[in-house]
Amino acid sequence: MKISFVRPNLGDWRSPDAMEPLAFAVLKGVTPSDVECELWDERVEPVPQHLQTDLVALTVETYTARRAYALADRFRRQGLRVVAGGYHPTFLPQEGLQHFDAVVCGDAEALWPGILRDAAAGRLQSIYRQPAGAEMRGLNYDRSLFAGKAYGKVTPVQFSRGCRFACDFCSIHAFYGRSLSHRPVDEVVAEACALRSRYLFLVDDNLFVNQDALRTLLDGLRGCGLRWGCQISLDVAGDERLLAAMAESGCVAALVGFESLDGANLVQMRKKWNTRHPYSEAIARFHAHGIMVYGSFIFGYDQDDSDVFARTVDFALQNELFLVNFSALTPTPASALYARMEKEERLLYPHWWLDSAYGYGDAVYRPRLLTPEQLTAGCRWARAQFFRYSNIARRVIWPPPGCTSLNHRLISLLANYTSRRTLDRKLGRSLG
Ligand code: B12
Ligand code: SF4
C-alpha cells in the first residue's frame, strides 16, 4: 500500500515561512513499516497533477480548505480515495465530506493504523473521531518524510496540546476543549537534542499551561545548546524566575498575544487576564532576560476606531517588539466569536473560506466603529509601517538591551525579512 500525504497551501504560491508539517510526522510514526509513504507540501513544491498512490491524506486548516477541496476533487475524479484531518474538517466534517471519502476529527495517532486497515479492505468509514486529551507518551515524530524538502532552518517540536484559556477568536479551545496534555519531558528533550537543527520552535499554543512540567522541560533543555522560540501567555511575565529559566535553556524569542491595547476589547474577547499585566513592563522583563518579543495584535473588536492602527504601531515600535502580527479579526468556524458574529448578523461572507471574493487579510464582518474597508486598509497600513526597511534596520542595529547578541540580531533580521516576504505574497490574494 502507498500513502501520499499532501499539505495544501493557501493559494498557488510558495511560502517562505513553511516549517515541517508535524501532523504527518505523527501519522508516519504510527504507519506500519511496510506501507510506502510520500509527502507533497504545496508551500515548498508543486503537487503533481497525478499521483500514483492508494490513499491521499490531506491536512486541512480553515485558510487552506478551499485549496484542499480543489485538490481532493481532482484526485477523486482520477479514482483516488482521499482522507482528511486537521482543524477545519474537525470543525466542519459535513462540509468536508462533500470532497473527501473520510474525515478524521481531532488528533489521530490512535486511529490511524485502523484507518489504514479500513482503507486497505475498501471499507473506509465517513467519520473517525479521536477524543481530545489522549496520552502523549511514546509519540514518535518520524521526520523521514521531510528529507530533502526546502523547509526553513527552524524546526518545530511539540511539547503539549491545549490551552487553559478560551479566548473567543481562537480555534484551540474549540479543538481541544478543556483537555490539557503534554509529552513526557525526557522524550521531548531526547527528540530536541537529536535534531540536526539547533533552532527550534515549540509549537504549543501556550507553553505556560502546566508550570511544573514546563520547569522540568526547561531543566532538561538547559545545556543542550539549543536556541528556541515559543508562544506563551503574557502572565508568564509575572514569574521572573521562570523567565530566567527559559532564557538559560536557550529561549531567545516568544510570541505573546497582546491582541489589543483596550481593556474593554480584552474583556469582550475573554482575555481579561491580559489587563493584569501592564504591557510595557511585561515586555521590558522579557527583554531583560534576553527574550525578544513577537507581539500578536488583532484589530476590529468593538472599541477599535480609526486611531487604533497608529496607536498600536507606535506602541510596537516604542516597546521594541522585534516582530508583530497585525491581523483583522477573522471569525473561524466553531469559535465563540463566529457564533456571536452569526447571531448578530455581522458576517459579510458567512463562509469566507470558500468565497472567491475573499482575499487574505480582508475584513469578513461589519466592525462597530469602522467600515470593513477601513479595517482591511488599516491592517495593511499598520503592517507596512512596522515592516518598513528603515524600521527593520533600526530594530536590528539598536535592539533592546539584553537582546544585543549576534544571534539575536540575526534571528531578528531573518524573521523580519521572512515576515515581510510572506505578507507581500499573501495579502489580498484569494484563497484556493
Ligand atoms: C506552528 C504553526 C504555524 C507555523 C507553520 C507550521 C508548519 N508546519 O509549517 C506558521 C507560523 C508558519 C503558521 C502559519 C499559519 N497558521 Co498556524 N499554527 C501553527 C501551530 C501553532 C502548530 C502546528 C503544529 O505543528 N501542530 C502539531 C501537530 C502535530 O498537530 P496538528 O497539526 O493539529 O495535527 C494533529 C491533528 O490535527 C490531526 N491531523 C492533522 N492533519 C491531519 C491529516 C490527516 C489525514 C489525519 C488523519 C489527521 C490529521 O492529527 C495530527 C496528530 O494528532 C497551530 C496550532 C496547533 N496547536 O496545531 C497553528 C494553527 C494551525 N495555525 C493557524 C493559522 C490561522 C495559521 C495562518 C493562516 C495564520 C495567518 N493568519 O496567516 C498561517 C497559515 C500558513 C499556511 N501557509 O498554511 C490556526 C488554524 C485555525 C483553523 N481554524 O484552521 C492554528 C490552529 C492556530 C490557532 N490558534 O488558531 N502556523
Ligand atoms: S491564550 Fe492563546 S492559545 Fe490560549 S485560548 Fe487564548 S489565544 Fe488561544
Side-chain angles (χ1 to χ4, degrees):
M1 185 180 187
K2 180 173 171 188
I3 306 168
S4 299
F5 293 111
V6 178
R7 177 136 183 6
N9 199 0
L10 274 67
D12 196 9
W13 62 86
R14 304 281 86 79
S15 294
D17 61 350
M19 289 183 215
E20 296 172 348
L22 275 188
F24 293 142
V26 173
L27 297 182
K28 175 76 171 73
V30 288
T31 301
S33 54
D34 59 345
V35 175
E36 192 187 336
C37 296
E38 66 177 7
L39 166 67
W40 296 103
D41 185 337
E42 204 175 18
R43 296 169 307 163
V44 296
E45 64 201 342
V47 175
Q49 284 293 320
H50 295 270
L51 293 175
Q52 299 298 320
T53 195
D54 299 300
L55 186 67
V56 179
L58 277 159
T59 187
V60 187
E61 292 160 7
T62 300
Y63 282 84
T64 56
R66 195 155 181 260
R67 182 72 182 158
Y69 295 158
L71 289 170
D73 293 348
R74 186 173 88 205
F75 292 135
R76 288 177 83 196
R77 278 196 301 274
Q78 293 166 7
L80 299 175
R81 284 166 308 160
V82 179
V83 55
Y87 280 79
H88 196 73
T90 297
F91 298 149
L92 298 177
Q94 294 306 327
E95 181 186 287
L97 284 173
Q98 294 169 33
H99 306 272
F100 310 131
D101 296 283
V103 158
V104 184
C105 299
D107 284 308
E109 60 277 353
L111 301 170
W112 188 239
I115 295 171
L116 294 183
R117 283 195 296 276
D118 288 355
R123 49 156 203 259
L124 267 181
Q125 297 169 33
S126 309
I127 298 189
Y128 296 84
R129 222 177 269 279
Q130 179 174 312
E135 183 170 12
M136 294 179 79
R137 182 176 297 279
L139 279 185
N140 167 21
Y141 293 71
D142 180 341
R143 295 172 196 256
S144 54
L145 284 168
F146 308 140
K149 308 266 180 200
Y151 295 116
K153 289 246 172 301
V154 181
T155 303
V157 172
Q158 186 173 41
F159 174 47
S160 66
R161 290 174 175 163
C163 177
R164 67 199 151 101
F165 298 115
C167 308
D168 79 339
F169 57 85
C170 179
S171 295
I172 298 307
H173 188 71
F175 192 86
Y176 292 106
R178 289 171 173 272
S179 82
L180 300 172
S181 45
H182 67 86
R183 298 170 64 196
V185 166
D186 53 343
E187 292 183 14
V188 183
V189 173
E191 186 195 11
C193 293
L195 291 170
R196 245 186 314 155
S197 169
R198 300 286 81 198
Y199 292 92
L200 309 187
F201 179 55
L202 291 175
V203 297
D204 306 30
D205 299 289
N206 180 3
L207 197 59
F208 194 46
V209 160
N210 180 331
Q211 295 164 26
D212 292 338
L214 175 56
R215 272 178 233 285
T216 325
L217 176 71
L218 300 177
D219 285 345
L221 291 178
R222 194 176 306 125
C224 293
L226 299 168
R227 293 279 172 271
W228 56 271
C230 64
Q231 311 184 99
I232 199 153
S233 51
L234 181 66
D235 49 349
V236 72
D239 189 338
E240 290 261 11
R241 282 172 57 192
L242 197 68
L243 283 181
M246 284 170 64
E248 280 161 23
S249 69
C251 180
V252 282
L255 184 152
V256 177
F258 298 102
E259 324 302 3
S260 176
L261 304 178
D262 183 283
N265 278 344
L266 290 167
V267 171
Q268 185 175 38
M269 69 179 79
R270 303 185 188 165
K271 207 157 186 159
K272 189 177 172 197
W273 42 273
N274 256 16
T275 60
R276 289 186 212 119
H277 305 275
Y279 286 180
S280 297
E281 217 175 277
I283 295 167
R285 285 193 187 169
F286 278 100
H287 287 163
H289 289 284
I291 301 173
M292 298 186 290
V293 181
Y294 176 175
S296 189
F297 296 88
I298 300 174
F299 295 124
Y301 271 94
D302 284 358
Q303 306 305 317
D304 285 347
D305 56 18
S306 54
D307 292 338
V308 70
F309 308 105
R311 258 198 325 268
T312 314
V313 172
D314 287 349
F315 173 88
L317 294 175
Q318 278 162 15
N319 287 277
E320 302 179 277
L321 301 179
F322 88 106
L323 214 58
V324 296
N325 227 342
F326 287 144
S327 311
L329 179 61
T330 306
T332 46
S335 64
L337 172 72
Y338 191 89
R340 179 165 70 82
M341 290 292 169
E342 206 173 26
K343 194 166 155 222
E344 294 174 5
E345 298 184 358
R346 290 168 69 181
L347 292 169
L348 297 171
Y349 330 73
H351 303 118
W352 54 266
W353 55 92
L354 300 179
D355 206 312
S356 59
Y358 168 75
Y360 177 91
D362 290 355
V364 301
Y365 73 101
R366 269 180 290 276
R368 207 168 68 90
L369 302 177
L370 294 161
T371 63
E373 294 73 26
Q374 279 176 309
L375 176 55
T376 305
C379 285
R380 284 190 188 206
W381 177 86
R383 289 174 184 126
Q385 295 306 306
F386 187 83
F387 287 107
R388 282 167 68 164
Y389 282 124
S390 55
N391 281 330
I392 296 179
R394 198 166 301 130
R395 293 195 269 284
V396 174
I397 297 170
W398 295 290
C403 303
T404 52
S405 77
L406 185 62
N407 234 318
H408 284 97
R409 288 172 202 257
L410 279 176
I411 292 168
S412 173
L413 181 64
L414 273 175
N416 274 278
Y417 176 65
T418 307
S419 283
R420 206 190 133 113
R421 269 179 77 206
T422 308
L423 283 168
D424 283 348
R425 286 191 195 179
K426 291 199 288 197
L427 278 176
R429 303 272 296 269
S430 49
L431 301 177

